[in-house]
Amino acid sequence: MDLGKQFSEYNFDDHIKQALEGLGFERSTPIQDRAIPLVITGQDVAGLAQTGTGKTAAFLLPLIERVLR
C-alpha cells in the first residue's frame, strides 16, 4: 500500500500526536493524506476507499483537532 506522510508532519495537537504514536500509527494512508488537510480547513469532503484503509480516522482526526483548537 502506498502510504502518505508521517502523522508527525500534520499540525495536530500534542495529545493527538501522542495518541497516534502510542497506538503505533506512523504514516497516513492515501485517503487520510488527501482528506485530513481539507477537513482541517473546514472543507466538505466525500471519500471512497476500501474497508480498512482509515476512512474514519481521515475524518475524525482533523475534526478532533478543530475541537481542541
Side-chain angles (χ1 to χ4, degrees):
M1 182 186 328
D2 181 30
L3 297 179
K5 57 202 285 194
Q6 294 274 347
F7 277 116
S8 60
E9 293 179 56
Y10 292 105
N11 192 25
F12 285 140
D13 182 88
D14 287 340
H15 291 94
I16 296 173
K17 289 179 184 178
Q18 290 171 2
L20 288 169
E21 185 177 308
L23 292 169
F25 293 111
E26 296 177 7
R27 298 188 76 82
S28 60
T29 64
I31 188 73
Q32 294 165 346
D33 198 38
R34 290 172 180 86
I36 288 172
L38 299 173
V39 177
I40 284 177
T41 61
Q43 295 181 49
D44 292 337
V45 175
L48 179 68
Q50 291 182 334
T51 299
T53 57
K55 292 182 298 294
T56 302
F59 298 105
L60 287 182
L61 289 172
L63 289 176
I64 294 168
E65 173 65 31
R66 287 177 56 104
V67 168
L68 291 174
R69 286 185 190 169

